[in-house]
Amino acid sequence: MPLRRDAQRNRERIVEAAGEVFATRGFAATLDDVAHHAGVGVGTVYRRFPTKEELIDAVFTDRLEDLVTLAEEALAAESAWEGLTGFLRTSARWHAADRGLRDAALSMGEQHFKQAGEQIVPLLEQLMERAHAEGTLRPDAGFHDFPIIMAMVTEMAQHSEGCRPGLYERYLEMVIDGLRARPDNGALGAAPTETDVRAVMRGCVPPMRSSRS
């Protein structure tokens, strides 16, 4: 049954407020924070979204689809290297501007955002295979390096934007330079596994559920 007009307006206000709150605080924000920002009672938020997970899903499902589209465009690029580095730069810019999107993107291997992860992983794996085949991406760079790179760079962005906006871009370019294949690339050792990445992400992304979710 469609929501009444006033109920629909309340829902839209809550989702908009949640996007703004999560953008600054990420998944550490609570439904109480969202209610305060939206100017409604917390009971109103709980009636529309009984859990923080449901609200996060309402806010970020479409935004994660934007990342899938970005990966599709990167894969279609004539040069795999340009496609891959363009994806890294654009997604880092989006994540730097929105901590909630950053937390959602780094959670794509978890059950809640599994569908988006299942869409984007094959695209990026194909892109990396093309870059390896064209000899532009260092041969020991693996797919599971990329979530950790994004976690490092976007964490830097969150801590530096207030004092020096855009500083993270300096370090992203250093990383990109290190990803380029060269005859003198030093050995990096074994690439991280999916288990390694999940363990790292648990320390980088606040849980969706909290004591007052």
Side-chain angles (χ1 to χ4, degrees), residues 14-36:
I14 290 165
V15 172
E16 181 179 359
E20 293 170 357
V21 170
F22 289 133
T24 57
R25 298 190 57 185
F27 289 177
T30 67
L31 293 189
D32 286 352
D33 298 325
V34 172
H36 178 76

Side-chain angles (χ1 to χ4, degrees), residues 152-173:
M152 292 189 304
V153 171
T154 55
E155 187 69 14
M156 170 65 187
Q158 296 303 322
H159 291 287
S160 64
E161 285 300 282
C163 60
R164 185 171 167 183
L167 182 60
Y168 77 92
E169 295 175 353
R170 172 183 177 87
Y171 299 97
L172 176 60
E173 292 305 318

Side-chain angles (χ1 to χ4, degrees), residues 30-188:
T30 67
L31 293 189
D32 286 352
D33 298 325
V34 172
H36 178 76
H37 191 68
V40 301
V42 70
T44 300
V45 177
Y46 277 102
R47 281 193 296 275
R48 301 285 175 262
F49 301 97
T51 66
K52 190 168 74 175
E53 292 93 327
E54 291 181 47
L55 181 54
I56 286 172
D57 185 66
V59 173
F60 292 109
T61 296
D62 289 344
R63 299 188 194 182
L64 291 178
E65 285 300 316
D66 290 340
L67 282 173
V68 174
T69 299
L70 182 65
E72 290 172 340
E73 293 171 350
L75 184 59
E78 184 174 351
S79 160
W81 175 256
E82 293 303 320
L84 183 63
T85 56
F87 177 85
L88 286 173
R89 291 184 178 106
T90 301
S91 57
R93 185 173 70 250
W94 291 356
H95 297 170
D98 187 334
R99 190 174 183 89
L101 176 61
R102 180 253 193 193
D103 287 354
L106 295 181
S107 301
M108 280 200 291
E110 301 299 328
Q111 187 63 37
H112 196 69
F113 292 129
K114 187 175 181 181
Q115 183 176 355
E118 288 175 345
Q119 290 178 283
I120 203 167
V121 167
L123 296 170
L124 295 181
E125 286 180 333
Q126 290 178 60
L127 187 57
M128 290 186 66
E129 288 173 6
R130 282 186 54 209
H132 280 139
E134 71 183 20
T136 51
L137 178 64
R138 59 182 302 151
D140 50 359
F143 172 77
H144 293 299
D145 288 311
F146 284 87
I148 294 179
I149 288 171
M150 293 306 296
M152 292 189 304
V153 171
T154 55
E155 187 69 14
M156 170 65 187
Q158 296 303 322
H159 291 287
S160 64
E161 285 300 282
C163 60
R164 185 171 167 183
L167 182 60
Y168 77 92
E169 295 175 353
R170 172 183 177 87
Y171 299 97
L172 176 60
E173 292 305 318
M174 289 182 182
V175 170
I176 288 174
D177 193 54
L179 288 170
R180 190 186 295 273
R182 292 185 176 85
D184 59 347
N185 285 144
L188 295 176

